[in-house]
Amino acid sequence: MSKRWHMATVLYVSFVLFILLPICAVTWFSVRAFNSVLFNNVTTRAMQTLEQVSYSVDTETNRMITTIATIANDEKIFATATRIHQRAELSQQAGYEASIDLDHQLSNYFHYTPDIVATLFFYRDGGVYSYKQAAGLQEAELRQAKWYQQTLANINKVQIFGAEDNRMTGTSGHMEITASIAPKFPSSFNMVESVYFIFRGSVLQQLLRTRVPEPGYFVVIAPSGAVVTASHDEILQEGVARNDVLKKAMLQPSGNYVIGENGKQSFVVFMTSEQTGWKYVHVMPYEQMLSEVEDVYHRTMLVSTIGLIVFLIASWIWVRSMAKPILSLVRQMNRVKTGNFQVQIEASGPTEIYVLGLSFNEMTLRIQELIQEREKKEAERLNAEIAALQSQISPHFLVNTLNSIKIMAMMAKAPHIQKMTDALMQLVSSAFNRGGSYTTIAEEMSLLDDYFTIMRIRYGDRFEVRMEIDEEIKNLYVPRLLLQPLVENSIVHGFHGLDRKGIIVIQGFKMGERHVQINITDNGKGFEEEKELSDRKHRQESFNGIGLVNVHRRIELNYGVDGGLRVRSKPGEGTYIELLLPLIISKPES
């Protein structure tokens, strides 16, 4: 026998497999799902913040672009700037008045911001006029800068240059935001080739710093990859090319990712402005972003762990309350197995186990009573066997008497009496179950021949019998004298008063791999099944005292649900009886 687990072990393992592990799994997946939701919420908030920043920067930038575009279409400003350039042809007073007039006109456009550093008018034939101070700027360097050629190539289109671009524009520093435009007025009255505007970098940088959570930062990057502005000065100095955190953001228009640098992880969210084409990037420490998520995770795991510990302690107490009385019951049952029925247990535990203990005590008492009752019946059985041995004298006496009649018939040369007596001896011997209660189908058919011999002598040539038994079933076993009451029913009742010759057909064959079917058909008078069977139910109508209903009872007692008897009959049409019996190869013990 394979090794069996104790009930307590089974319960503990069941708790772990079916309760503890599923709870842990559900908790883990719930925390993961909750963390995912929080992470998505944080990501969404970061993207919303970035959209607000981009909107503020785009709004400020569009105001700058609108102002510059309006200036570029103001004929008075360029006419005044041309007069200033032509001051050599004018009086000193007229040139001074023209400068005052231009400054006044530009002040009207830039009254909304104090962040304008300077405005430079470049003339076609050389020379520069500067609105406000532009110390340190060299005209030659500015005209050679890339932005200058780009401005001339895009007439009347505002060009914006960020902080990183301004490192190579010839300005006094790289923190400024610059813009330029080439007016579309004809050169006949306008000597200005392009206008260059310089704004303080704080005009956009301050918008980023009001939104940035320390120690994260915002970066605005131009389509060329140059930094327009940033919330931290070191990002402006470093640029995108040397910042590994920002490189991945240049590959897609928008999105987010986590990247590690110098042993720390950063969460990066980025988007591209549809108005300016600038890319807005928000970088923040990954640990800071997940601090709220980790706090919820730790609290959830703490509560879950405490709950599991309490659950396990309660489960251990509950299992112990069940296992202890059951273990006591098992020990007492082992004593019962050795033959000691004088055992009792103290019932305890839950209701079911308590009732089980009481039932065990009742069972042992009942077993003692049954043992006493069995001993009494055993003594009665011995007495009955002695009586049965004595009763065998009568069957032996009957068989010996029939044998004497047979010898006398032979001496008197009466073959019919001899044949009938011989057949009757065979039937009587079979009726007394000599050789056991089972016989082969071949022997059963032989007994039917003996029975038909007697019935032919009694009734003459009023019926005939046809036997169609397959060879493969003749050595199979059936209860002795099972068929005789059925054919007797046909001869005695079916053919009584019949005006035609009776025919009985007996067929036997295998039904599948597990059953044998035997059919008995006659062309007798038939009967109404329910009424006839009810009338015969308590009567014994064959020579051995077994009627049709009792045959069905014998089949039920011998085979249970594996066997069956089915009768179909109609008045004037005959009777059909079908027996379905289990296939038995070897002789059962009687």
Side-chain angles (χ1 to χ4, degrees), residues 418-434:
Q418 175 190 349
K419 187 182 296 184
M420 188 174 183
T421 304
D422 189 46
L424 182 58
M425 286 175 60
Q426 297 295 330
L427 287 173
V428 170
S429 297
S430 180
F432 289 131
N433 291 334
R434 291 183 179 178

Side-chain angles (χ1 to χ4, degrees), residues 360-587:
F360 174 82
N361 293 336
E362 294 175 0
M363 180 193 70
T364 55
L365 294 175
R366 179 57 179 162
I367 288 176
Q368 295 177 46
E369 294 175 358
L370 290 175
I371 290 175
Q372 295 174 359
E373 185 178 343
R374 182 176 178 275
E375 290 174 350
K376 181 179 178 181
K377 288 185 177 181
E378 186 67 19
E380 294 175 353
R381 186 184 66 81
L382 291 175
N383 294 331
E385 285 184 355
I386 295 173
L389 290 174
Q390 294 174 348
S391 69
Q392 289 182 358
I393 298 174
S394 296
H396 284 297
F397 174 77
L398 179 58
V399 171
N400 290 336
T401 302
L402 290 173
N403 191 39
S404 298
I405 295 173
K406 174 184 175 182
I407 294 173
M408 292 173 66
M410 291 174 60
M411 293 175 64
K413 296 183 180 181
H416 290 292
I417 297 175
Q418 175 190 349
K419 187 182 296 184
M420 188 174 183
T421 304
D422 189 46
L424 182 58
M425 286 175 60
Q426 297 295 330
L427 287 173
V428 170
S429 297
S430 180
F432 289 131
N433 291 334
R434 291 183 179 178
S437 60
Y438 279 83
T439 185
T440 63
I441 293 178
E443 293 174 349
E444 185 73 3
M445 294 298 109
S446 178
L447 290 174
L448 285 181
D449 283 337
D450 293 332
Y451 176 75
F452 288 139
T453 299
I454 295 173
M455 300 308 286
R456 285 191 183 98
I457 293 173
R458 288 182 59 188
Y459 295 102
D461 194 25
R462 293 172 56 187
F463 69 91
E464 64 176 271
V465 180
R466 302 172 188 171
M467 292 190 181
E468 302 171 0
I469 307 299
D470 291 351
E471 291 293 331
E472 62 178 340
I473 71 168
K474 286 186 175 181
N475 293 323
L476 302 179
Y477 285 86
V478 295
R480 188 181 298 275
L481 289 176
L482 185 68
L483 304 180
Q484 181 270 332
L486 304 180
V487 298
E488 183 179 5
N489 182 76
S490 297
I491 296 172
V492 175
H493 300 285
F495 300 155
H496 179 72
L498 192 68
D499 58 356
R500 60 180 182 275
K501 186 175 184 178
I503 299 174
I504 299 176
V505 180
I506 303 175
Q507 299 172 310
F509 51 88
K510 284 181 64 176
M511 176 63 69
E513 297 296 327
R514 298 178 55 192
H515 291 87
V516 172
Q517 183 169 325
I518 298 176
N519 301 333
I520 299 175
T521 309
D522 68 58
N523 64 342
K525 295 186 299 181
F527 58 88
E528 294 181 4
E529 297 179 33
E530 291 187 6
K531 180 177 184 304
E532 192 70 17
L533 290 176
S534 176
D535 292 342
R536 299 182 184 183
K537 184 173 182 181
H538 300 292
R539 291 190 294 168
Q540 298 177 341
E541 300 184 352
S542 66
F543 87 97
N544 61 349
I546 301 177
L548 183 62
V549 175
N550 287 341
V551 170
H552 186 266
R553 181 60 178 161
R554 285 183 67 195
I555 293 174
E556 287 183 343
L557 292 175
N558 281 277
Y559 303 121
V561 296
D562 282 342
L565 172 66
R566 185 169 62 176
V567 179
R568 294 202 299 270
S569 183
K570 289 186 179 180
E573 296 184 7
T575 302
Y576 169 80
I577 301 176
E578 177 185 293
L579 288 90
L580 186 66
L581 309 175
L583 191 151
I584 302 176
I585 299 175
S586 59
K587 185 176 182 180

Side-chain angles (χ1 to χ4, degrees), residues 206 224 229 268 348 409 412 500:
Q206 189 61 33
S224 63
T229 186
V268 182
S348 61
R500 60 180 182 275

